[in-house]
C-alpha cells in the first residue's frame, strides 16, 4: 500500500476515535494511531503527529464531536458550556493555523443554528448533527483541494519546474494537498513537472513528507536543502513556486512554515512567480496584516538535537525557533483558492471574495 492510499484523518465513530497517520514517524514507519481523549487530540496536534492547516481543522472538527458525543448535559446552556470548554482547550494546541479555530467555531455555530439558539434542543439529535457537520468539513476539504488544483494548474505548463516548501500535500489535508494539488492533477494529465522540495528545517516536513508522498505518486521530485532555492532558481530550473499557508491576513500577507518568506524573496530576485495555495477557510479577514498573526514558537531541541545522535550545537546556546514566518503580500503573485485566483491588490480582491460568500 502506498502512503497516498491511507487517510490522513478518519473518524472511527464505532470506536469513538479519530484515526491518523503518525506523521512524526514518516517516511520510515507508516503507523496508524487512534485518538480518543482531549489530551490525546491536543498532544497529537502539538507534536505534529497530525499537522498542516486543513488536516488540523478536520481533526479538531472530529475531536469536538467525539468529546461531546457522550455529553450528559441536561439543557442547551450546559451543553454549550461544556462545548466551549473543550473548544478552548483544543484551540490552544497550536496558534498560527486559522483552520483550527475556524473548524471549532464552525462546529459551535452549527449547533447554535441547528437548535435555533437552544429553542429546539434535543441532545441526541444535536450530537448526530455534530457528527454530520464534522464529516462535511472533511468532504469539503477534498473538494476544495481539488478545485485549488484545477485553478493552480492554469498557472503552469507541461514540463515546468515547480518549487515547494514544507508539506502542503495530501498529508496536510484529506486529499491532493493545496500546494501539491496542481502537481497531482498535472501528474494525472501528463504534465511531467519537475518538482523541487525544500527539506524544511527544523522538522523536515519537505524531506520526510513532501518528497515521500510525491515520490510515491511517481512525480519527478528532487530534494534540496533550504539554502539551495537560490541556486536552482538562478539556474532557471524553477518556473513557479507553490506553497501552502496557515493564515492569510486581510491585506494578503500570509503566514506559512518558517523559511517561506526566504523562498518568496529569492523568487522575486529571479523573477519566478510565487503562488500561495489556500482554501478560503485559511483567509482570516479579522486579522488585518501579517504582523497581527500569532507566530508559534517551538522548543530549542528541534533545532539543536532532535534529529541527531548527539547534539549539533553547544549546550545551553540560545535558540530562536519560530515555526512560521510571514510573507509580505508584495511578494505574492497570486493566492490560489477554490473560488479562483486572487490577485493584488489583495485588500480589494479578498474583500470582494468575502462579499460574494
Ligand atoms: O508545522 P506544520 O507542519 O503544521 O506546518 C505546515 C505548513 O506550514 C503548511 O504549509 C500549511 O499548514 C498549509 S498545509 C495545506
Amino acid at each position: 500500500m502506498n502512503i497516498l492510499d491511507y487517510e490522513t484523518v478518519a473518524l472511527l465513530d464505532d470506536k469513538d476515535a479519530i484515526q491518523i497517520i503518525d506523521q512524526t514517524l514518516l517516511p520510515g514507519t507508516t503507523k496508524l494511531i487512534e485518538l480518543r481523549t482531549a489530551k490525546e487530540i491536543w498532544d497529537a496536534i502539538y507534536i505534529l503527529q497530525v499537522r498542516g492547516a486543513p488536516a488540523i481543522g478536520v481533526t479538531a472538527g472530529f475531536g469536538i464531536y467525539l468529546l461531546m458525543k457522550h455529553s450528559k448535559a441536561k439543557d442547551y446552556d450546559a451543553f454549550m458550556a461544556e462545548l466551549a470548554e473543550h473548544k478552548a482547550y483544543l484551540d490552544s494546541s497550536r496558534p498560527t493555523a486559522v483552520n483550527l479555530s475556524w473548524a471549532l467555531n464552525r462546529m459551535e455555530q452549527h449547533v447554535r443554528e441547528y437548535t435555533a439558539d437552544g429553542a429546539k434542543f434535543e441532545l441526541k439529535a444535536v450530537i448526530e448533527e455534530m457528527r454530520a457537520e464534522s464529516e462535511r468539513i472533511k468532504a469539503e476539504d477534498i473538494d476544495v483541494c481539488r478545485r485549488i488544483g484545477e485553478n493552480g494548474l492554469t498557472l503552469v505548463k507541461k514540463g515546468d519546474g515547480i518549487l515547494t516548501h514544507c508539506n502542503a500535500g495530501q498529508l496536510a489535508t484529506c486529499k491532493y494537498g493545496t500546494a501539491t494539488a496542481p502537481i497531482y492533477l498535472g501528474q494525472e494529465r501528463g504534465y511531467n513537472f519537475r518538482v523541487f522540495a525544500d527539506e524544511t528545517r527544523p522538522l523536515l516536513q519537505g524531506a520526510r513528507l513532501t518528497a515521500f508522498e510525491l515520490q510515491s505518486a511517481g512525480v519527478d521530485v528532487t530534494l534540496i536543502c533550504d539554502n539551495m532555492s537560490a541556486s536552482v532558481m538562478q539556474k532557471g530550473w524553477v518556473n513557479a513556486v507553490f506553497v501552502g499557508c496557515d493564515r492569510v491576513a486581510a491585506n494578503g500577507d500570509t503566514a506559512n512554515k518558517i523559511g517561506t518568506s526566504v523562498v518568496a524573496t529569492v523568487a522575486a530576485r529571479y523573477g519566478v512567480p510565487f503562488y500561495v495555495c489556500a482554501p478560503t477557510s485559511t483567509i482570516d479577514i479579522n486579522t488585518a496584516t501579517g504582523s497581527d498573526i500569532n507566530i508559534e514558537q517551538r522548543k530549542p531541541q528541534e533545532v539543536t538535537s532532535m534529529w541527531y545522535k548527539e547534539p549539533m550545537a553547544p549546550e545551553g546556546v540560545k535558540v530562536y525557533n519560530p515555526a512560521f514566518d510571514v510573507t509580505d503580500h508584495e511578494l505574492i503573485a497570486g493566492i490560489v483558492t477554490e473560488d479562483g485566483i486572487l490577485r493584488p491588490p489583495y485588500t480589494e480582491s479578498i474583500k470582494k471574495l468575502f462579499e460574494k460568500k
Side-chain angles (χ1 to χ4, degrees), residues 4 8 141-142 145-146 169-178 180-181 184 188:
L4 297 167
T8 309
D141 177 53
I142 297 172
C145 286
R146 193 176 170 88
Q170 173 156 319
L171 288 162
T173 64
C174 293
K175 204 172 162 69
Y176 304 112
T178 57
T180 57
Y184 285 127
E188 286 169 16

Short mmCIF file of all heavy atoms in Angstrom, two decimals, residues 4 8 141-142 145-146 169-178 180-181 184 188:
data_model
loop_
_atom_site.label_atom_id
_atom_site.label_comp_id
_atom_site.label_asym_id
_atom_site.label_seq_id
_atom_site.Cartn_x
_atom_site.Cartn_y
_atom_site.Cartn_z
N LEU A 4 -0.22 7.35 -0.11
CA LEU A 4 -1.38 8.11 -0.57
C LEU A 4 -2.68 7.30 -0.49
O LEU A 4 -3.78 7.83 -0.66
CB LEU A 4 -1.16 8.62 -1.99
CG LEU A 4 0.02 9.60 -2.12
CD1 LEU A 4 0.41 9.82 -3.57
CD2 LEU A 4 -0.29 10.92 -1.45
N THR A 8 -5.44 10.58 5.77
CA THR A 8 -4.68 11.41 6.72
C THR A 8 -5.41 11.45 8.07
O THR A 8 -4.78 11.32 9.12
CB THR A 8 -4.54 12.85 6.16
OG1 THR A 8 -4.03 12.76 4.82
CG2 THR A 8 -3.59 13.68 7.00
N ASP A 141 -13.07 19.59 2.39
CA ASP A 141 -11.63 19.77 2.24
C ASP A 141 -11.13 19.08 0.95
O ASP A 141 -10.34 19.65 0.19
CB ASP A 141 -10.90 19.20 3.47
CG ASP A 141 -9.39 19.30 3.33
OD1 ASP A 141 -8.91 20.42 3.05
OD2 ASP A 141 -8.70 18.27 3.46
N ILE A 142 -11.64 17.88 0.69
CA ILE A 142 -11.21 17.15 -0.51
C ILE A 142 -11.64 17.90 -1.77
O ILE A 142 -10.86 18.12 -2.69
CB ILE A 142 -11.78 15.71 -0.49
CG1 ILE A 142 -11.21 14.97 0.73
CG2 ILE A 142 -11.48 14.97 -1.79
CD1 ILE A 142 -11.82 13.60 1.00
N CYS A 145 -9.60 21.19 -2.17
CA CYS A 145 -8.22 20.98 -2.63
C CYS A 145 -8.20 20.65 -4.13
O CYS A 145 -7.33 21.12 -4.86
CB CYS A 145 -7.55 19.86 -1.83
SG CYS A 145 -7.12 20.37 -0.17
N ARG A 146 -9.16 19.88 -4.57
CA ARG A 146 -9.21 19.55 -5.99
C ARG A 146 -9.43 20.83 -6.83
O ARG A 146 -8.79 21.03 -7.86
CB ARG A 146 -10.32 18.52 -6.26
CG ARG A 146 -10.20 17.94 -7.61
CD ARG A 146 -11.14 16.86 -8.01
NE ARG A 146 -10.95 16.67 -9.45
CZ ARG A 146 -10.06 15.86 -9.97
NH1 ARG A 146 -9.31 15.10 -9.21
NH2 ARG A 146 -9.90 15.79 -11.29
N GLY A 169 0.86 19.06 1.26
CA GLY A 169 0.49 17.94 0.41
C GLY A 169 -0.72 17.20 0.96
O GLY A 169 -1.41 17.68 1.87
N GLN A 170 -0.93 16.00 0.41
CA GLN A 170 -2.06 15.20 0.88
C GLN A 170 -1.98 14.98 2.39
O GLN A 170 -3.00 14.94 3.07
CB GLN A 170 -2.09 13.86 0.13
CG GLN A 170 -3.14 12.92 0.71
CD GLN A 170 -3.61 11.88 -0.28
OE1 GLN A 170 -3.81 12.17 -1.45
NE2 GLN A 170 -3.81 10.66 0.19
N LEU A 171 -0.77 14.84 2.91
CA LEU A 171 -0.62 14.58 4.35
C LEU A 171 -1.03 15.77 5.21
O LEU A 171 -1.22 15.63 6.42
CB LEU A 171 0.82 14.16 4.66
CG LEU A 171 1.20 12.76 4.16
CD1 LEU A 171 2.71 12.58 4.10
CD2 LEU A 171 0.56 11.70 5.06
N ALA A 172 -1.15 16.93 4.59
CA ALA A 172 -1.57 18.12 5.33
C ALA A 172 -3.06 18.40 5.16
O ALA A 172 -3.60 19.35 5.73
CB ALA A 172 -0.78 19.33 4.85
N THR A 173 -3.70 17.55 4.34
CA THR A 173 -5.13 17.73 4.03
C THR A 173 -5.76 16.34 4.01
O THR A 173 -5.17 15.39 4.51
CB THR A 173 -5.31 18.38 2.64
OG1 THR A 173 -4.79 17.47 1.65
CG2 THR A 173 -4.57 19.71 2.52
N CYS A 174 -6.94 16.22 3.38
CA CYS A 174 -7.54 14.88 3.29
C CYS A 174 -7.31 14.25 1.92
O CYS A 174 -7.48 13.05 1.75
CB CYS A 174 -9.01 14.95 3.65
SG CYS A 174 -9.18 15.36 5.41
N LYS A 175 -6.96 15.03 0.94
CA LYS A 175 -6.57 14.51 -0.37
C LYS A 175 -5.98 15.67 -1.20
O LYS A 175 -6.36 16.82 -0.99
CB LYS A 175 -7.77 13.90 -1.10
CG LYS A 175 -7.38 12.87 -2.16
CD LYS A 175 -8.63 12.16 -2.69
CE LYS A 175 -8.37 11.47 -4.00
NZ LYS A 175 -7.51 10.31 -3.99
N TYR A 176 -5.09 15.36 -2.08
CA TYR A 176 -4.48 16.28 -3.05
C TYR A 176 -3.51 17.30 -2.43
O TYR A 176 -2.56 17.73 -3.07
CB TYR A 176 -5.52 17.09 -3.85
CG TYR A 176 -6.52 16.25 -4.59
CD1 TYR A 176 -7.86 16.23 -4.21
CD2 TYR A 176 -6.12 15.46 -5.69
CE1 TYR A 176 -8.78 15.45 -4.89
CE2 TYR A 176 -7.04 14.69 -6.37
CZ TYR A 176 -8.38 14.69 -5.97
OH TYR A 176 -9.29 13.93 -6.64
N GLY A 177 -3.78 17.76 -1.21
CA GLY A 177 -2.99 18.87 -0.67
C GLY A 177 -3.45 20.18 -1.26
O GLY A 177 -4.44 20.24 -2.01
N THR A 178 -2.77 21.26 -0.90
CA THR A 178 -3.10 22.55 -1.53
C THR A 178 -2.00 22.88 -2.54
O THR A 178 -2.23 22.84 -3.75
CB THR A 178 -3.24 23.67 -0.46
OG1 THR A 178 -2.05 23.76 0.30
CG2 THR A 178 -4.42 23.41 0.44
N THR A 180 0.35 21.04 -3.48
CA THR A 180 0.64 19.89 -4.35
C THR A 180 -0.54 19.53 -5.26
O THR A 180 -0.38 18.69 -6.15
CB THR A 180 0.97 18.64 -3.51
OG1 THR A 180 -0.12 18.38 -2.63
CG2 THR A 180 2.27 18.80 -2.74
N ALA A 181 -1.71 20.14 -5.03
CA ALA A 181 -2.88 19.75 -5.83
C ALA A 181 -2.65 19.95 -7.33
O ALA A 181 -2.95 19.05 -8.13
CB ALA A 181 -4.12 20.50 -5.35
N TYR A 184 -0.44 17.06 -8.46
CA TYR A 184 -1.11 15.76 -8.61
C TYR A 184 -2.06 15.74 -9.82
O TYR A 184 -2.10 14.76 -10.56
CB TYR A 184 -1.89 15.40 -7.34
CG TYR A 184 -1.00 14.96 -6.20
CD1 TYR A 184 -1.08 15.54 -4.94
CD2 TYR A 184 -0.06 13.94 -6.38
CE1 TYR A 184 -0.26 15.13 -3.90
CE2 TYR A 184 0.76 13.52 -5.35
CZ TYR A 184 0.66 14.12 -4.12
OH TYR A 184 1.47 13.71 -3.09
N GLU A 188 -1.73 13.40 -13.28
CA GLU A 188 -2.78 12.57 -13.91
C GLU A 188 -2.91 12.90 -15.40
O GLU A 188 -3.35 12.08 -16.18
CB GLU A 188 -4.15 12.87 -13.27
CG GLU A 188 -4.37 12.30 -11.88
CD GLU A 188 -5.65 12.85 -11.20
OE1 GLU A 188 -6.53 13.44 -11.88
OE2 GLU A 188 -5.72 12.70 -9.97
#
